[in-house]
Protein backbone atom coordinates (compact mmCIF):
# COMPACT_ATOMS: atom_id res chain seq x y z
CA UNK A 1 0.00 0.00 0.00
CA UNK A 2 1.15 3.55 -0.76
CA UNK A 3 2.56 5.85 1.87
CA UNK A 4 0.08 8.52 2.86
CA UNK A 5 0.65 11.75 4.76
CA UNK A 6 -2.85 12.47 6.02
CA UNK A 7 -4.31 9.02 6.52
CA UNK A 8 -3.20 5.85 8.28
CA UNK A 9 -4.19 2.50 6.95
CA UNK A 10 -4.05 -0.83 8.71
CA UNK A 11 -5.17 -4.11 7.22
CA UNK A 12 -6.01 -6.95 9.58
CA UNK A 13 -7.95 -10.09 8.67
CA UNK A 14 -9.61 -8.49 5.68
CA UNK A 15 -10.65 -5.33 7.49
CA UNK A 16 -8.92 -2.13 6.43
CA UNK A 17 -9.01 0.63 9.01
CA UNK A 18 -8.60 4.03 7.41
CA UNK A 19 -7.82 6.75 9.95
CA UNK A 20 -7.92 10.40 8.90
CA UNK A 21 -4.84 11.82 10.51
CA UNK A 22 -4.59 15.58 10.96
CA UNK A 23 -5.33 15.66 14.70
CA UNK A 24 -3.93 19.18 15.20
CA UNK A 25 -6.62 20.41 12.77
CA UNK A 26 -9.29 18.05 14.10
CA UNK A 27 -8.80 15.94 10.95
CA UNK A 28 -10.32 18.65 8.72
CA UNK A 29 -10.58 17.61 5.09
CA UNK A 30 -8.14 19.58 2.98
CA UNK A 31 -7.45 18.74 -0.67
CA UNK A 32 -4.64 16.36 0.30
CA UNK A 33 -6.88 14.32 2.59
CA UNK A 34 -9.51 14.09 -0.15
CA UNK A 35 -6.90 13.10 -2.73
CA UNK A 36 -5.49 10.44 -0.42
CA UNK A 37 -8.97 9.13 0.34
CA UNK A 38 -9.55 8.88 -3.40
CA UNK A 39 -6.29 6.95 -3.80
CA UNK A 40 -7.04 4.52 -0.99
CA UNK A 41 -10.45 3.98 -2.61
CA UNK A 42 -8.65 2.77 -5.75
CA UNK A 43 -6.93 0.18 -3.56
CA UNK A 44 -10.12 -0.73 -1.69
CA UNK A 45 -11.97 -1.32 -4.96
CA UNK A 46 -9.23 -3.46 -6.51
CA UNK A 47 -7.36 -5.25 -3.71
CA UNK A 48 -8.97 -8.63 -3.05
CA UNK A 49 -7.40 -8.90 0.38
CA UNK A 50 -9.58 -5.97 1.55
CA UNK A 51 -13.07 -7.24 2.43
CA UNK A 52 -14.46 -4.33 4.45
CA UNK A 53 -13.49 -0.90 5.72
CA UNK A 54 -13.66 1.01 9.01
CA UNK A 55 -13.36 4.77 8.58
CA UNK A 56 -12.36 6.77 11.65
CA UNK A 57 -10.44 9.84 12.82
CA UNK A 58 -7.20 10.06 14.77
CA UNK A 59 -7.03 11.42 18.30
CA UNK A 60 -9.63 11.45 21.05
CA UNK A 61 -11.45 14.57 19.95
CA UNK A 62 -12.54 14.46 16.34
CA UNK A 63 -13.74 12.16 13.61
CA UNK A 64 -13.52 15.00 11.06
CA UNK A 65 -14.37 18.62 11.99
CA UNK A 66 -15.34 19.52 8.45
CA UNK A 67 -13.88 20.65 5.20
CA UNK A 68 -10.76 22.72 5.82
CA UNK A 69 -12.07 26.26 6.17
CA UNK A 70 -8.63 27.90 5.97
CA UNK A 71 -8.54 28.19 2.17
CA UNK A 72 -12.17 29.25 1.61
CA UNK A 73 -11.63 33.01 1.22
CA UNK A 74 -9.83 32.63 -2.09
CA UNK A 75 -12.42 30.28 -3.63
CA UNK A 76 -14.59 31.72 -6.43
CA UNK A 77 -18.15 30.67 -7.10
CA UNK A 78 -17.13 28.47 -10.05
CA UNK A 79 -14.31 26.94 -7.99
CA UNK A 80 -16.77 26.28 -5.16
CA UNK A 81 -18.85 24.11 -7.44
CA UNK A 82 -15.72 22.26 -8.57
CA UNK A 83 -14.82 21.60 -4.92
CA UNK A 84 -18.28 20.24 -4.17
CA UNK A 85 -18.25 18.02 -7.27
CA UNK A 86 -14.83 16.63 -6.37
CA UNK A 87 -15.88 15.84 -2.80
CA UNK A 88 -19.21 14.40 -3.90
CA UNK A 89 -17.52 12.10 -6.43
CA UNK A 90 -15.24 10.66 -3.74
CA UNK A 91 -18.12 10.22 -1.29
CA UNK A 92 -20.17 8.47 -4.03
CA UNK A 93 -17.32 5.99 -4.38
CA UNK A 94 -17.61 5.20 -0.66
CA UNK A 95 -21.41 4.95 -0.80
CA UNK A 96 -21.38 2.71 -3.87
CA UNK A 97 -18.45 0.54 -2.85
CA UNK A 98 -19.51 -3.12 -2.99
CA UNK A 99 -17.46 -3.77 0.15
CA UNK A 100 -19.01 -2.71 3.46
CA UNK A 101 -17.85 0.68 4.76
CA UNK A 102 -18.62 1.52 8.39
CA UNK A 103 -17.88 4.89 10.01
CA UNK A 104 -16.55 4.68 13.57
CA UNK A 105 -17.31 8.23 14.70
CA UNK A 106 -14.92 9.00 17.55
CA UNK A 107 -15.62 12.71 18.19
CA UNK A 108 -16.69 15.78 16.20
CA UNK A 109 -18.32 14.91 12.88
CA UNK A 110 -19.17 18.36 11.60
CA UNK A 111 -19.85 19.67 8.11
CA UNK A 112 -17.83 17.57 5.68
CA UNK A 113 -17.09 15.17 8.55
CA UNK A 114 -20.77 14.46 9.09
CA UNK A 115 -21.15 14.15 5.31
CA UNK A 116 -18.23 11.71 5.16
CA UNK A 117 -19.76 9.58 7.92
CA UNK A 118 -23.10 9.66 6.10
CA UNK A 119 -21.53 8.41 2.88
CA UNK A 120 -20.55 5.21 4.72
CA UNK A 121 -23.07 2.35 4.76
CA UNK A 122 -23.79 2.90 8.45
CA UNK A 123 -22.36 4.65 11.47
CA UNK A 124 -21.31 3.66 14.99
CA UNK A 125 -20.55 6.49 17.41
CA UNK A 126 -18.59 6.83 20.62
CA UNK A 127 -20.39 8.48 23.53
CA UNK A 128 -18.43 11.72 23.01
CA UNK A 129 -19.31 12.01 19.29
CA UNK A 130 -20.97 15.22 18.12
CA UNK A 131 -22.72 15.75 14.82
CA UNK A 132 -23.77 18.83 12.92
CA UNK A 133 -23.93 20.70 9.65
CA UNK A 134 -22.79 24.16 10.76
CA UNK A 135 -22.13 25.55 7.26
CA UNK A 136 -24.70 28.36 7.55
CA UNK A 137 -22.49 29.84 10.29
CA UNK A 138 -19.99 30.47 7.49
CA UNK A 139 -22.48 31.64 4.88
CA UNK A 140 -22.24 28.22 3.25
CA UNK A 141 -24.34 25.12 2.80
CA UNK A 142 -23.23 21.48 2.88
CA UNK A 143 -21.51 20.61 -0.41
CA UNK A 144 -20.46 16.98 -0.07
CA UNK A 145 -23.94 15.48 -0.25
CA UNK A 146 -25.15 16.57 3.20
CA UNK A 147 -28.39 18.18 2.06
CA UNK A 148 -29.34 14.89 0.42
CA UNK A 149 -27.99 12.20 2.75
CA UNK A 150 -29.02 13.89 6.00
CA UNK A 151 -32.53 14.22 4.59
CA UNK A 152 -32.50 10.53 3.64
CA UNK A 153 -31.25 9.43 7.06
CA UNK A 154 -33.25 11.59 9.49
CA UNK A 155 -36.15 12.94 7.40
CA UNK A 156 -36.84 16.35 5.93
CA UNK A 157 -37.97 18.23 9.04
CA UNK A 158 -35.02 17.21 11.19
CA UNK A 159 -32.55 17.74 8.36
CA UNK A 160 -33.95 21.20 7.68
CA UNK A 161 -33.71 22.13 11.35
CA UNK A 162 -30.16 20.80 11.76
CA UNK A 163 -28.91 22.57 8.64
CA UNK A 164 -30.73 25.86 9.32
CA UNK A 165 -29.90 26.15 13.04
CA UNK A 166 -26.35 24.73 12.67
CA UNK A 167 -27.04 22.98 15.99
CA UNK A 168 -24.61 20.36 17.17
CA UNK A 169 -26.21 17.17 18.49
CA UNK A 170 -24.68 14.58 20.75
CA UNK A 171 -24.42 10.86 20.05
CA UNK A 172 -27.58 10.00 22.01
CA UNK A 173 -29.71 12.41 19.95
CA UNK A 174 -28.03 11.26 16.73
CA UNK A 175 -28.95 7.70 17.72
CA UNK A 176 -32.53 8.68 18.42
CA UNK A 177 -32.75 10.31 14.99
CA UNK A 178 -31.33 7.28 13.20
CA UNK A 179 -28.18 9.07 12.13
CA UNK A 180 -26.10 6.46 13.97
CA UNK A 181 -26.95 2.82 14.61
CA UNK A 182 -25.16 2.32 17.93
CA UNK A 183 -23.49 4.42 20.63
CA UNK A 184 -20.66 2.81 22.59
CA UNK A 185 -17.98 3.94 25.07
CA UNK A 186 -14.95 5.46 23.32
CA UNK A 187 -12.60 2.67 24.30
CA UNK A 188 -14.94 0.09 22.75
CA UNK A 189 -15.63 1.93 19.50
CA UNK A 190 -13.18 0.17 17.21
CA UNK A 191 -13.72 -3.27 18.76
CA UNK A 192 -17.49 -2.93 18.46
CA UNK A 193 -17.23 -1.70 14.86
CA UNK A 194 -14.88 -4.56 13.99
CA UNK A 195 -17.27 -7.13 15.44
CA UNK A 196 -20.10 -5.67 13.40
CA UNK A 197 -18.00 -5.88 10.23
CA UNK A 198 -16.75 -9.38 11.06
CA UNK A 199 -20.34 -10.58 11.14
CA UNK A 200 -20.93 -9.08 7.68
CA UNK A 201 -17.71 -10.60 6.34
CA UNK A 202 -18.91 -14.08 7.32
CA UNK A 203 -21.76 -13.74 4.80
CA UNK A 204 -21.66 -13.91 1.02
CA UNK A 205 -19.59 -10.97 -0.26
CA UNK A 206 -21.49 -11.06 -3.56
CA UNK A 207 -24.81 -10.81 -1.75
CA UNK A 208 -23.51 -8.02 0.51
CA UNK A 209 -22.45 -6.02 -2.56
CA UNK A 210 -25.90 -6.50 -4.05
CA UNK A 211 -27.63 -5.39 -0.83
CA UNK A 212 -25.59 -2.19 -1.00
CA UNK A 213 -26.48 -1.64 -4.66
CA UNK A 214 -30.18 -2.37 -4.13
CA UNK A 215 -30.57 -0.14 -1.07
CA UNK A 216 -28.67 2.68 -2.79
CA UNK A 217 -31.04 2.35 -5.77
CA UNK A 218 -33.86 3.53 -3.48
CA UNK A 219 -32.20 6.95 -3.47
CA UNK A 220 -31.02 7.05 -7.08
CA UNK A 221 -33.53 9.01 -9.16
CA UNK A 222 -32.20 7.47 -12.36
CA UNK A 223 -33.22 3.99 -11.18
CA UNK A 224 -36.35 2.13 -10.20
CA UNK A 225 -35.34 0.45 -6.96
CA UNK A 226 -37.84 -2.39 -7.23
CA UNK A 227 -36.68 -3.23 -10.75
CA UNK A 228 -33.09 -3.02 -9.57
CA UNK A 229 -33.93 -5.50 -6.79
CA UNK A 230 -35.47 -7.92 -9.32
CA UNK A 231 -32.33 -7.73 -11.46
CA UNK A 232 -29.90 -8.14 -8.53
CA UNK A 233 -31.96 -10.94 -6.95
CA UNK A 234 -31.86 -12.82 -10.25
CA UNK A 235 -28.11 -12.32 -10.57
CA UNK A 236 -27.61 -14.04 -7.19
CA UNK A 237 -28.86 -17.30 -8.70
CA UNK A 238 -25.89 -17.37 -11.05
CA UNK A 239 -23.30 -17.18 -8.27
CA UNK A 240 -21.15 -19.78 -6.53
CA UNK A 241 -22.00 -18.04 -3.24
CA UNK A 242 -25.69 -18.78 -3.66
CA UNK A 243 -24.99 -22.42 -4.50
CA UNK A 244 -22.70 -22.73 -1.48
CA UNK A 245 -25.08 -20.90 0.89
CA UNK A 246 -28.10 -22.97 -0.08
CA UNK A 247 -26.14 -26.25 -0.16
CA UNK A 248 -24.65 -25.55 3.27
CA UNK A 249 -28.11 -24.84 4.67
CA UNK A 250 -29.49 -28.07 3.23
CA UNK A 251 -26.49 -30.02 4.52
CA UNK A 252 -26.86 -28.34 7.95
CA UNK A 253 -23.32 -26.95 7.92
CA UNK A 254 -21.77 -23.49 7.93
CA UNK A 255 -21.25 -21.93 4.49
CA UNK A 256 -17.80 -20.94 3.26
CA UNK A 257 -18.23 -18.27 0.65
CA UNK A 258 -15.75 -17.68 -2.15
CA UNK A 259 -17.22 -14.33 -3.11
CA UNK A 260 -17.81 -15.52 -6.66
N1 LIG B 1 -11.06 23.65 9.03
C1 LIG B 1 -9.83 24.07 9.33
N2 LIG B 1 -9.32 24.02 10.57
C2 LIG B 1 -10.09 23.53 11.53
C3 LIG B 1 -11.40 23.09 11.30
C4 LIG B 1 -11.88 23.15 9.98
N3 LIG B 1 -13.11 22.73 9.65
N4 LIG B 1 -11.94 22.66 12.48
C5 LIG B 1 -10.99 22.85 13.40
N5 LIG B 1 -9.87 23.37 12.85
C6 LIG B 1 -8.61 23.70 13.51
C7 LIG B 1 -8.73 24.98 14.33
O1 LIG B 1 -8.57 26.11 13.50
C8 LIG B 1 -7.59 24.80 15.29
O2 LIG B 1 -6.38 25.08 14.61
P1 LIG B 1 -5.21 25.97 15.33
O3 LIG B 1 -4.85 25.18 16.55
O4 LIG B 1 -4.13 26.00 14.30
O5 LIG B 1 -5.84 27.27 15.65
C9 LIG B 1 -7.58 23.30 15.56
O6 LIG B 1 -8.28 22.72 14.47
C10 LIG B 1 -8.30 22.92 16.83
O7 LIG B 1 -9.63 23.45 16.78
P2 LIG B 1 -10.24 24.43 17.93
O8 LIG B 1 -11.31 25.26 17.27
O9 LIG B 1 -9.15 25.15 18.63
O10 LIG B 1 -10.89 23.36 18.89
P3 LIG B 1 -12.12 23.58 19.89
O11 LIG B 1 -12.17 22.39 20.75
O12 LIG B 1 -12.04 24.93 20.51
O13 LIG B 1 -13.40 23.59 18.93
C11 LIG B 1 -14.82 22.81 17.11
C12 LIG B 1 -13.79 22.45 18.21
C13 LIG B 1 -15.04 21.56 16.29
C14 LIG B 1 -16.12 23.25 17.78
C15 LIG B 1 -14.27 23.95 16.26
O14 LIG B 1 -12.97 23.61 15.82
C16 LIG B 1 -15.10 24.25 15.03
O15 LIG B 1 -16.16 24.86 15.14
N6 LIG B 1 -14.61 23.85 13.83
C17 LIG B 1 -15.24 24.15 12.57
C18 LIG B 1 -16.43 23.29 12.36
C19 LIG B 1 -17.11 23.66 11.09
O16 LIG B 1 -17.67 24.73 10.92
N7 LIG B 1 -17.10 22.75 10.13
C20 LIG B 1 -17.80 22.92 8.88
C21 LIG B 1 -16.89 23.36 7.83
S1 LIG B 1 -17.74 23.63 6.31
Amino acid sequence: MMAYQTIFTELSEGILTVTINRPDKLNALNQQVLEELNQILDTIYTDNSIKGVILTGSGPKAFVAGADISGFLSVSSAEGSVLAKKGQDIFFRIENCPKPFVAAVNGFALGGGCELAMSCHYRIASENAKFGQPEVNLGLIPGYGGTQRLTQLVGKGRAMELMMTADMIDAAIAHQMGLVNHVVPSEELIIFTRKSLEKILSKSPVAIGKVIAAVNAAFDHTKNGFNEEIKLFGECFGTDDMKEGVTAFLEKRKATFSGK
Side-chain angles (χ1 to χ4, degrees):
M1 228 165 279
M2 295 180 51
Y4 297 103
Q5 259 96 60
T6 63
I7 57 179
F8 285 144
T9 60
E10 192 204 340
L11 180 62
S12 161
E13 292 176 32
I15 297 175
L16 184 74
T17 304
V18 177
T19 306
I20 316 265
N21 183 41
R22 291 182 76 210
D24 53 327
K25 297 291 178 191
L26 305 186
N27 305 322
L29 302 174
N30 61 13
Q31 288 311 302
Q32 189 181 5
V33 179
L34 287 174
E35 189 41 51
E36 293 191 356
L37 270 177
N38 208 20
Q39 286 168 16
I40 193 68
L41 277 158
D42 290 341
T43 307
I44 291 165
Y45 267 78
T46 54
D47 184 337
N48 290 331
S49 63
I50 299 170
K51 311 290 187 195
V53 182
I54 297 174
L55 188 59
T56 193
S58 92
K61 205 170 154 182
F63 173 71
V64 167
D68 194 311
I69 301 167
S70 60
F72 279 1
L73 281 178
S74 61
V75 176
S76 70
S77 179
E79 287 164 344
S81 292
V82 172
L83 277 183
K85 176 78 168 75
K86 231 166 115 181
Q88 282 195 12
D89 285 348
I90 297 168
F91 289 15
F92 275 130
R93 294 185 77 198
I94 296 175
E95 182 168 56
N96 294 312
C97 184
K99 301 176 184 179
F101 243 97
V102 186
V105 182
N106 58 308
F108 290 113
L110 301 175
C114 188
E115 292 172 296
L116 178 62
M118 291 192 294
S119 74
C120 293
H121 299 133
Y122 61 98
R123 287 140 292 285
I124 296 168
S126 59
E127 285 166 347
N128 68 322
K130 296 244 176 354
F131 297 81
Q133 295 290 162
E135 287 86 350
V136 293
N137 286 334
L138 306 169
L140 285 168
I141 69 166
Y144 295 162
T147 61
Q148 306 303 298
R149 291 195 183 94
L150 189 60
T151 307
Q152 292 163 3
L153 281 163
V154 306
K156 183 175 173 181
R158 287 171 175 148
M160 284 280 194
E161 185 182 358
L162 281 171
M163 284 184 272
M164 293 197 286
T165 61
D167 276 350
M168 240 193 261
I169 54 169
D170 64 19
I173 301 280
H175 186 222
Q176 213 177 301
M177 287 186 181
L179 183 54
V180 305
N181 292 18
H182 305 276
V183 181
V184 298
S186 290
E187 61 276 14
E188 289 167 29
L189 178 65
I190 295 300
I191 292 173
F192 186 97
T193 308
R194 251 195 113 76
K195 283 214 177 100
S196 181
L197 255 177
E198 278 165 3
K199 185 182 278 186
I200 295 170
L201 298 189
S202 72
K203 318 298 179 192
S204 154
V206 184
I208 296 300
K210 291 186 193 303
V211 166
I212 292 168
V215 174
N216 283 341
F219 303 100
D220 181 342
H221 298 306
T222 68
K223 287 183 178 144
N224 177 310
F226 286 96
N227 288 343
E228 209 60 26
E229 185 183 278
I230 288 170
K231 179 176 104 18
L232 292 162
F233 179 77
E235 284 172 14
C236 292
F237 287 83
T239 66
D240 291 352
D241 274 8
M242 179 270 185
K243 286 181 186 72
E244 164 61 11
V246 172
T247 305
F249 176 82
L250 295 173
E251 292 176 354
K252 301 189 191 303
R253 61 171 173 84
K254 209 170 170 297
T256 332
F257 293 110
S258 66
K260 296 202 172 74

